[in-house]
Amino acid sequence: MTGQGGFRQEFWQGDDINNEQTHHFGAYFSGGINGMYLATLAHWLADDDADQSLGTAAYDIGADLRSDPSELKNIGDTIRKKICKP
């Protein structure tokens, strides 16, 4: 699925199902994995509410993975549980 249709509604940017939110997830997730708190914070401050919510969730998933790399085996389930529509 492309766009934001698979994301929880709180992460949607507007009502258009085709709005692309995956790039926000990827950027913040990578920031969490790489410990780039200040860089992601600077981006987060310029984002709207939906992007900030998604960014916080994605960053936290990445930071948790950085803390415990063995959780990579569960990353798909974690993303589906915390980011995707139930």
Side-chain angles (χ1 to χ4, degrees), residues 1-61:
M1 178 172 282
T2 60
Q4 60 189 4
F7 287 79
R8 292 176 181 265
Q9 192 77 31
E10 70 219 55
F11 302 136
W12 278 36
Q13 188 174 47
D15 294 329
D16 184 353
I17 198 168
N18 294 314
N19 281 346
E20 187 58 61
Q21 285 294 79
T22 56
H23 68 283
H24 285 285
F25 174 83
Y28 284 104
F29 178 65
S30 176
I33 289 172
N34 294 293
M36 301 299 294
Y37 179 76
L38 292 178
T40 54
L41 175 63
H43 187 83
W44 185 88
L45 291 171
D47 277 339
D48 63 22
D49 291 344
D51 291 342
Q52 286 179 343
S53 294
L54 178 59
T56 299
Y59 184 92
D60 290 347
I61 293 169

